[in-house]
Amino acid sequence: MQRSAVVAVDEYRWSTDTVTLECITDDEEEAVGWKYREGTDTEVGTGGTVPVSLSFYTPTTFRFEFAANPDAGATETLNEFDEEAIIEPVDLTVEADEGVLRIDTDALRVTVGLDAWSFAVTTSDGRTVFEEQREDIDVHGDLRVDPLGYTTVERNNGPNRVTNTGTAFTLAPDEHVYGFGEKFTGFDKRGQRIESWHVEALGTETERSYKNVPFHLSTRGYGMLVDTTNRVEYDVGNTSTASGTVEVSDDTFSFVFFYGPSFKAIIEEYTALTGRVTRPPKWSFGVWMSRLGYESREHLESITARLREEEIPCDVVHLDPFWMREFHSCDLEWDIDQFPDPESMIAGLHEEGFHLSLWEHPYVPTGTDAFETARENGYFVTDATGKPYVMDNLCQGDYAGAIVDFSNPDAVDWWQEKTRELVEMGVDVFKTDYGEGIPEDAVFANGRTGASMHNYYPFLYNRTVYEAIADVNGSDEALVWGRSAWTGNQRFPMYWGGDAQPSFNGMHSALRGGLSVSLTGFPFWSHDIGGFRGTPSTETYIRWVQFGLLSSHSRCHGTTPREPWAFGEEAVRVFKKFATLRYRLISYLYSYAETACRTGLPVVRPLVLEYTDDPTTYNLDTQYLLGEELLVAPVFRETGDVDVYLPEGEWVDYWSAERYTGGQTLHRTVPLDEIPLFVRAGSILPLHESSQTVQEGSPDEATLRVTPVSTGETRATFDFYDEDRDRVVSLECDIDADGEAIDLSVEDPNATPSFVADVVDIDHPPTTLRVNGEDLRAVDADPARGEWTYDATDRTVRAVL
């Protein structure tokens, strides 16, 4: 095995938005008499070169591509990017001076060493954002990490072949790194080795993961997306604290570089390129009830009957593999012995306000009619001989099966037709389980092997199912509940975190994984409330319920019962308390879902996303923001002890209304029926009446809880999604420093909901209260539209807008 590095530039050329560099590597340097070329006049040395190209999409975003095997051409990407969504005019200035090439846009300067290769990205004010590492040496003068280059391996005692390409980059002493998909290890990835390669993770406590996305964010103000579907390996300061490395198992190394400098700006640009999410159906934000599993129609209907009897809000029930016949998962056909007359069963569920989710995986067991159909028609991934790639222990139930080849349009049509039949029957959503098991030597209909299809397969799998549902129900009602994912999978919502242990450690790792994937373009994610395999303690279950019901989506699931009554009366009481809160927040969550569609920003947010300049947030993975207005700190100890960090600003305890100044850590012992929940002062929080199921359409009435800051002027805003009119309504509230004047504004006075504003923590009645510039009339109690009242006991002004 030999490593070759780029050492200099032989020539360069440029066009309006692209610079191409023909580079010399150290294994060619002795054989080539080279010089760099300015323009096209300088003599070029004889011998081979390797190309590096820089293509600018915008002044702050560019694509870097290094092809180590140029005669074969660069590897064609499988990732589906929408370059047109981000392209802007770029005015490049390219100048060379004293062996250095400077490529300038309005926002960035890329500097390339010509005589001796170097690569750096700086801002217009000279701050280094990214720099290739070539100075990390040990006491012998040897490099600790490999700079830009490629690795060749001898094959069969003879020819050499390029197997890997990659580079090294500097890590600043105060730099922090996030992302890489759903990673269950420490939230800040500095110091870790990371592999972007899907595996059956068998839990959520290791580096192994189901959702790998080769995209990371740095507190230096940049994001990097490696454009490949092959295996990617990172060393983020593990071998050397001064350096990071990225290696791709391919002869082409390509990445897209995004400069923000804010994380929000980077995520918006990144998701515009890789694909924005479609807003999930509103009912999906209700409670999902599931376990492994409800084994018959009678069993399922007993669960739904008790949910309604106990008045536990719930919108979705899920059937795991038992809806299919034994040894037939996954042929997508009902076991009508266990689930007789499924059409009437589904109709009954719908009448009771339940949506139905069915489990599936993309593997078809041998010995079934579906297997024979797929084999005869070539719908399976094959081995090198062209036969179906049959493996034992592939399917649910530990029996042999083959893998549906979603690169084959005919196989896609076949699977989608089976899916559409179920959707037409009334099935609402599919849990698209698995998808991580593609062998590297498998062969696909598109000519690719598993080496490049392994990571990409979940994209094809989830898209196939998602589009089949959309064909029948429309895109507004399309949804999957997926486990495996790659770059761009966020386009097909949504995903859950796999098989967490039923413990506080499992609960914490589920949160870490969710926060990590939220920074890689996935705005919606969930987890198994209670953990997956085994039975959680009552305390763990209740604490997980609180966390789960204050997540983007909420599903109870595990190998043993996860219905609240299985854990006693107190669990039922707490479950109902937090389910009621969740359903009061549906308009809030749905408004942030609309924001996610437009920006790619997540509903559940790590604090570092909103408070990137606050060093305390850099490693904070035990709490999160739900939207921007609510701060949630799950409890991970049976004792109820929890530390809560409040970032800058002012925060109000949701339960007690006590106020706290930001920039401090609170040490709390929390009763079992509470979770630390804080409202950001200077905010508007929309609430409405709870219900047993999510109500479609805009609420008839929404209460706007306005929380002013305690001192100084308040300006609070919120973008409310008016579902009936399919538009965002901007809400504003301005309060002067003395609380004498309150000015409320509704951008669209004809918005569907009737808004009631509760302005809390007001010491005295205001002198004036205006809505859209018009004075409202003060009354003693029970205000009607155009009136307001003041409650001295609650210190609250209520105005009916």
Side-chain angles (χ1 to χ4, degrees):
M1 185 166 63
Q2 178 181 335
R3 181 74 179 192
S4 301
V6 171
V7 294
V9 177
D10 183 48
E11 66 168 316
Y12 64 88
R13 54 189 179 273
W14 71 91
S15 62
T16 304
D17 55 12
T18 300
V19 177
T20 301
L21 309 154
E22 297 296 338
C23 299
I24 303 295
T25 60
D26 52 8
D27 61 344
E28 298 169 342
E29 186 176 0
E30 297 299 323
V32 179
W34 57 271
K35 297 178 181 179
Y36 69 87
R37 172 185 291 184
E38 292 186 39
T40 57
D41 296 333
T42 305
E43 179 182 355
V44 182
T46 59
T49 58
V50 290
V52 170
S53 65
L54 297 173
S55 301
F56 286 80
Y57 298 126
T58 77
T60 58
T61 303
F62 62 84
R63 178 186 178 86
F64 178 104
E65 183 171 281
F66 167 60
N69 195 8
D71 292 331
T75 301
E76 183 178 352
T77 183
L78 289 169
N79 293 316
E80 299 181 10
F81 294 163
D82 186 1
E83 297 177 349
E84 294 299 322
I86 65 170
I87 286 178
E88 300 175 10
V90 179
D91 184 16
L92 283 187
T93 302
V94 181
E95 296 179 344
D97 181 42
E98 298 182 353
V100 175
L101 185 69
R102 297 179 182 86
I103 306 164
D104 288 315
T105 72
D106 294 340
L108 296 178
R109 166 171 287 181
V110 178
T111 304
V112 177
L114 299 173
D115 293 336
W117 172 268
S118 62
F119 184 86
V121 182
T122 59
T123 60
S124 56
D125 60 1
R127 182 172 61 87
T128 299
V129 177
F130 178 85
E131 185 175 20
E132 188 191 350
Q133 177 64 279
R134 292 196 171 227
E135 297 180 357
D136 190 356
I137 57 175
D138 61 21
V139 293
H140 299 292
D142 296 326
L143 284 172
R144 292 193 177 101
V145 292
D146 292 323
L148 179 66
Y150 57 90
T151 300
T152 54
V153 175
E154 186 179 276
R155 302 292 193 190
N156 300 316
N157 297 319
N160 292 337
R161 185 176 189 276
V162 176
T163 59
N164 293 75
T165 51
T167 194
F169 51 93
T170 63
L171 289 174
D174 59 349
E175 186 173 358
H176 301 267
V177 181
Y178 307 95
F180 303 101
E182 178 192 56
K183 291 295 181 180
F184 302 113
T185 50
F187 179 51
D188 180 358
K189 300 305 185 291
R190 183 158 185 163
Q192 300 182 31
R193 290 181 182 271
I194 293 168
E195 184 176 50
S196 290
W197 186 255
H198 306 320
V199 295
E200 163 64 271
L202 302 176
T204 57
E205 291 76 32
T206 71
E207 191 278 330
R208 299 189 299 266
S209 67
Y210 314 94
K211 303 170 198 59
N212 294 275
V213 181
F215 170 76
H216 70 272
L217 294 159
S218 165
T219 51
R220 294 172 88 172
Y222 77 86
M224 176 190 286
L225 169 64
V226 180
D227 183 10
T228 185
T229 56
N230 288 42
R231 187 190 307 266
V232 185
E233 295 176 286
Y234 295 90
D235 183 319
V236 192
N238 181 278
T239 297
S240 167
T241 59
S243 303
T245 64
V246 53
E247 287 285 318
V248 178
S249 297
D250 191 25
D251 60 11
T252 299
F253 173 54
S254 299
F255 64 83
V256 180
F257 184 92
F258 305 87
Y259 174 67
S262 74
F263 281 2
K264 283 186 173 181
I266 296 168
I267 291 172
E268 289 194 37
E269 186 87 344
Y270 160 75
T271 55
L273 178 67
T274 59
R276 291 265 169 80
V277 69
T278 302
R279 189 180 62 250
K282 192 175 182 182
W283 51 261
S284 73
F285 291 88
V287 171
W288 297 48
M289 194 60 65
S290 171
R291 71 163 95 149
L292 180 64
Y294 305 133
E295 299 187 17
S296 67
R297 175 175 177 173
E298 181 182 9
H299 190 190
L300 175 65
E301 290 177 342
S302 70
I303 295 296
T304 57
R306 184 158 183 184
L307 286 166
R308 293 293 181 249
E309 178 186 340
E310 299 272 2
E311 296 185 335
I312 295 171
C314 182
D315 276 83
V316 186
V317 287
H318 171 74
L319 292 174
D320 251 24
F322 304 111
W323 72 275
M324 290 174 283
R325 293 165 291 172
E326 189 175 9
F327 303 115
H328 284 70
S329 59
C330 188
D331 66 357
L332 298 183
E333 295 183 14
W334 283 97
D335 181 346
I336 58 174
D337 291 331
Q338 292 298 101
F339 293 89
D341 195 3
E343 291 94 336
S344 69
M345 180 191 75
I346 297 171
L349 291 172
H350 286 172
E351 288 176 6
E352 293 295 321
F354 292 104
H355 293 77
L356 180 63
S357 169
L358 295 184
W359 176 95
E360 68 168 86
H361 63 31
Y363 315 137
V364 180
T366 58
T368 63
D369 291 342
F371 181 91
E372 289 305 315
T373 298
R375 182 184 62 79
E376 291 172 4
N377 289 280
Y379 295 160
F380 287 136
V381 173
T382 68
D383 61 21
T385 70
K387 297 185 298 185
Y389 205 124
V390 175
M391 293 189 288
D392 286 332
N393 300 321
L394 181 66
C395 295
Q396 181 75 22
D398 298 332
Y399 42 87
I403 307 165
V404 180
D405 183 355
F406 292 117
S407 78
N408 180 347
D410 292 335
V412 170
D413 289 344
W414 174 66
W415 199 259
Q416 287 187 330
E417 181 56 34
K418 294 172 77 67
T419 301
R420 281 191 289 266
E421 289 176 2
L422 292 162
V423 177
E424 289 167 352
M425 187 183 294
V427 175
D428 298 285
V429 57
F430 289 85
K431 173 183 171 181
T432 46
D433 209 349
Y434 292 84
E436 306 93 359
I438 307 301
E440 289 189 68
D441 59 345
V443 180
F444 282 75
N446 64 1
R448 301 278 188 136
T449 69
S452 62
M453 291 295 291
H454 175 95
N455 285 329
Y456 187 59
Y457 187 82
F459 180 90
L460 298 177
Y461 169 33
N462 283 284
R463 180 173 69 180
T464 295
V465 179
Y466 179 88
E467 290 181 346
I469 299 171
D471 285 346
V472 179
N473 291 343
S475 59
D476 289 345
E477 290 292 308
L479 182 74
V480 296
W481 187 274
R483 187 173 79 171
S484 56
W486 184 250
T487 308
N489 263 88
Q490 69 270 6
R491 291 161 51 184
F492 321 116
M494 56 146 299
Y495 300 86
W496 100 99
D499 301 338
Q501 297 296 325
S503 64
F504 282 118
N505 276 330
M507 177 179 160
H508 184 204
S509 66
L511 175 57
R512 283 201 306 271
L515 295 179
S516 181
V517 81
S518 74
L519 291 180
T520 46
F522 289 71
F524 309 110
W525 58 270
S526 190
H527 41 93
D528 290 345
I529 293 176
F532 178 64
R533 184 167 299 281
T535 303
S537 68
T538 297
E539 291 79 6
T540 302
Y541 176 80
I542 289 176
R543 292 304 189 189
W544 210 319
V545 162
Q546 297 163 356
F547 161 42
L549 291 174
L550 291 173
S551 296
S552 130
H553 284 73
S554 305
R555 184 185 73 157
C556 298
H557 184 72
T559 58
T560 58
R562 291 295 184 269
E563 300 81 27
W565 54 80
F567 297 88
E569 293 182 4
E570 178 69 359
V572 172
R573 185 181 71 82
V574 176
F575 194 104
K576 291 171 69 172
K577 173 182 176 178
F578 281 88
T580 297
L581 173 58
R582 177 175 186 82
Y583 280 65
R584 291 199 71 201
L585 288 167
I586 290 295
S587 288
Y588 176 75
L589 295 171
Y590 209 45
S591 294
Y592 271 105
E594 175 63 20
T595 298
C597 297
R598 292 183 284 112
T599 65
L601 296 174
V603 175
V604 170
R605 304 181 178 190
L607 268 68
V608 72
L609 178 62
E610 296 289 341
Y611 302 95
T612 314
D613 294 332
D614 183 347
T616 306
T617 69
Y618 291 162
N619 293 290
L620 196 53
D621 60 8
T622 55
Q623 58 189 75
Y624 59 91
L625 295 165
L626 187 62
E628 296 181 10
E629 285 74 21
L630 293 174
L631 186 150
V632 187
V635 179
F636 297 109
R637 299 177 187 171
E638 287 189 4
T639 59
D641 294 328
V642 60
D643 294 336
V644 186
Y645 177 70
L646 303 177
E648 67 177 352
E650 190 176 11
W651 297 88
V652 181
D653 188 306
Y654 181 86
W655 310 108
S656 70
E658 189 172 352
R659 286 179 173 261
Y660 297 89
T661 302
Q664 65 170 315
T665 298
L666 306 180
H667 306 280
R668 292 282 188 84
T669 300
V670 184
L672 189 59
D673 65 346
E674 283 191 13
I675 185 175
L677 178 63
F678 293 85
V679 180
R680 178 176 57 83
S683 68
I684 298 175
L685 182 67
L687 300 164
H688 53 72
E689 289 297 317
S690 182
S691 56
Q692 290 296 292
T693 60
V694 171
Q695 302 302 300
E696 295 299 322
S698 301
D700 293 334
E701 182 177 279
T703 298
L704 308 177
R705 174 171 167 169
V706 181
T707 304
V709 296
S710 58
T711 58
E713 297 180 356
T714 295
R715 181 172 180 77
T717 63
F718 188 81
D719 288 338
F720 183 94
Y721 179 59
D722 185 349
E723 184 184 0
D724 287 352
R725 304 187 70 195
D726 190 24
R727 62 166 298 174
V728 173
V729 178
S730 295
L731 307 172
E732 297 180 2
C733 181
D734 291 291
I735 307 172
D736 66 10
D738 298 323
E740 295 291 342
I742 298 176
D743 285 275
L744 293 157
S745 172
V746 179
E747 178 192 32
D748 181 3
N750 297 315
T752 303
S754 173
F755 290 116
V756 175
D758 281 347
V759 186
V760 302
D761 294 344
I762 299 295
D763 291 329
H764 53 77
T767 303
T768 60
L769 194 153
R770 290 182 292 266
V771 175
N772 290 347
E774 294 188 7
D775 289 340
L776 267 63
R777 186 168 66 93
V779 296
D780 292 334
D782 299 325
R785 187 178 179 91
E787 298 176 339
W788 65 271
T789 189
Y790 177 73
D791 187 320
T793 303
D794 292 337
R795 298 173 56 242
T796 297
V797 174
R798 165 160 286 199
V800 180
L801 282 59

